[in-house]
């Protein structure tokens, strides 16, 4: 069984290779008006995967050409009414199992210490199965009017946060000192995808404030590169959750690509920190407009 460090290195190397290939990063998957496309979801819980697993499954989809968002273990596929085709190879994702250990303190007292142990877990895409055609992409496209409804929903999600967003000018930024977001007017963006991506990016930065998630303060190492990568991935997670398209124009992110690659190659924990924080930021933004649901056991899969 590979060690936790070996797992981190293997996943990081895949992401570095994907970034160097010149293709879209794994968090920017092509999006279609299809209910079976989008951010990956579990066949067993019907909930979305989180953190690093979103990127792992996106990498697998890029490599093998999968379009379906649905993934599950061999048993989950069987329980859903299908079976994995002979010869199909599984994709390994990460499962964090909580562990409690009794330790002795410097004063000789015993206390419980809780931590998570990282293990791999095998899943298959719905397109690797027989009997689950209703989970395949391309079965039914949604009407274009649905996208307008999703834009309205996105506007409601943004408004529910109560974030101070000031429109005007030609700059998109979050001001930590003033705790406000500054954006160009909506009509100044070339596409709606670019507008919502930009709003999402700055909203993720907005979560870093000390009164919210305070995440920038807890990650001093690689601070600037990490902050921009968290905002980039978090915006894509947010758009995927809302069913919105993401653009393929990476011009605004080319300046960060070199620093991201350097940080990834020097620290295998970097992408784990960024993807985990991006998930937390997206969840925080969405929490203002949705009813919390109990987390199933699979929520441990990050």
């Amino acid at each position: 069984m590979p060690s936790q460090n070996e797992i981190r290195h293997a996943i990081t190397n895949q992401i570095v290779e994907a970034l160097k290939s010149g293709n879209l990063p794994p968090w920017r998957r092509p999006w279609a008006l299809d209910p079976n496309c989008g951010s990956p979801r579990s066949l067993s819980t019907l909930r979305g995967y989180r953190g690093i697993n979103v990127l792992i499954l996106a990498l697998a989809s890029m490599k093998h050409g999968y379009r379906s968002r649905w993934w599950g273990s061999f048993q989950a596929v069987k329980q859903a009414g299908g079976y994995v085709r002979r010869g199909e190879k599984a994709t390994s994702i990460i499962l964090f199992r909580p562990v409690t250990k009794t330790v002795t303190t410097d004063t000789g007292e015993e206390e419980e210490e809780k931590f998570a142990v990282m293990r791999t877990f095998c899943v298959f895409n719905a397109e690797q199965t027989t009997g689950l055609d209703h989970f395949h992409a391309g079965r039914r496209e949604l009407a274009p009017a649905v996208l307008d409804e999703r834009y309205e929903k996105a506007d409601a999600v943004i408004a529910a946060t109560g974030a101070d967003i000031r429109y005007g000018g030609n700059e998109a930024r979050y001001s930590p000192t003033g705790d406000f977001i500054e954006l160009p007017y909506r009509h100044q963006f070339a596409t709606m995808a670019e507008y919502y991506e930009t709003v999402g990016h700055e909203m993720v930065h907005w979560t870093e404030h000390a009164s919210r998630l305070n995440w920038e303060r807890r990650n001093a190492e690689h601070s600037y590169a990490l902050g921009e990568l968290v905002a980039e991935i978090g915006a894509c997670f947010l758009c995927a959750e809302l069913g919105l398209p993401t653009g393929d124009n990476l011009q605004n992110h080319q300046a960060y690509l070199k620093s991201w690659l350097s940080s990834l190659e020097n620290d295998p924990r970097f992408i784990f920190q960024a993807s985990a924080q991006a998930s937390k930021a997206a969840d925080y933004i969405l929490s203002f407009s949705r009813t919390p649901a109990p987390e199933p056991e699979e929520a441990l899969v990050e």
Side-chain angles (χ1 to χ4, degrees), residues 103-124:
V103 298
T104 304
T105 66
D106 294 337
T107 59
E109 297 180 352
E110 290 188 347
E111 62 180 31
E112 289 188 344
E113 184 178 276
K114 296 183 179 180
F115 57 95
V117 175
M118 182 167 54
R119 292 289 183 266
T120 56
F121 183 74
C122 292
V123 293
F124 297 88

Side-chain angles (χ1 to χ4, degrees), residues 20 38 57 81 91 101 134 140 145 164 182 198 239 245 247 267 285 293:
K20 287 182 175 179
L57 296 176
T91 297
K101 180 181 179 181
H134 52 296
R140 176 173 62 90
D164 182 1
E182 185 177 56
T198 303
C239 286
D267 184 359
I285 293 166

Side-chain angles (χ1 to χ4, degrees), residues 142-200:
L142 300 176
V146 172
L147 189 54
D148 292 332
E149 294 176 7
R150 292 181 180 183
Y151 287 145
E152 293 176 6
K153 178 182 177 182
D155 288 336
V157 167
I158 293 166
T161 66
D164 182 1
I165 302 179
R166 305 176 185 182
Y167 291 91
N170 297 306
E171 187 177 7
R173 70 186 182 98
Y174 167 67
S175 170
T177 53
D179 192 25
F180 66 86
I181 294 170
E182 185 177 56
L183 290 171
Y185 288 109
R186 188 183 300 228
H187 68 265
Q188 292 178 262
F189 291 86
T191 66
M192 294 301 290
E194 290 184 19
Y195 169 74
Y196 283 105
E197 272 185 61
T198 303
V199 175

Side-chain angles (χ1 to χ4, degrees), residues 28-139:
R28 284 178 172 264
R29 294 293 293 144
W31 181 87
L33 283 175
D34 187 309
N36 285 329
C37 291
S39 186
R41 289 184 177 272
S42 164
L43 283 170
S44 59
T45 67
L46 305 184
R47 295 175 65 89
Y49 291 94
R50 302 173 62 200
I52 195 67
N53 282 333
V54 179
L55 308 190
I56 293 173
L57 296 176
L59 285 168
S61 294
M62 292 169 63
K63 181 178 180 180
H64 301 290
Y66 303 142
R67 293 180 60 217
S68 175
R69 73 191 307 178
W70 298 100
W71 297 79
S73 65
F74 187 91
Q75 188 62 30
V77 169
K78 185 177 179 180
Q79 289 177 346
Y83 61 90
V84 177
R85 292 194 299 265
R86 185 183 299 274
E88 293 287 350
K89 303 295 184 183
T91 297
S92 294
I93 59 175
I94 304 301
L95 178 68
F96 287 93
R97 288 289 188 188
V99 174
T100 301
K101 180 181 179 181
T102 301
V103 298
T104 304
T105 66
D106 294 337
T107 59
E109 297 180 352
E110 290 188 347
E111 62 180 31
E112 289 188 344
E113 184 178 276
K114 296 183 179 180
F115 57 95
V117 175
M118 182 167 54
R119 292 289 183 266
T120 56
F121 183 74
C122 292
V123 293
F124 297 88
N125 187 268
E127 294 179 16
Q128 297 177 271
T129 70
T130 299
L132 298 182
D133 289 354
H134 52 296
F135 286 110
H136 288 201
R139 297 280 297 178

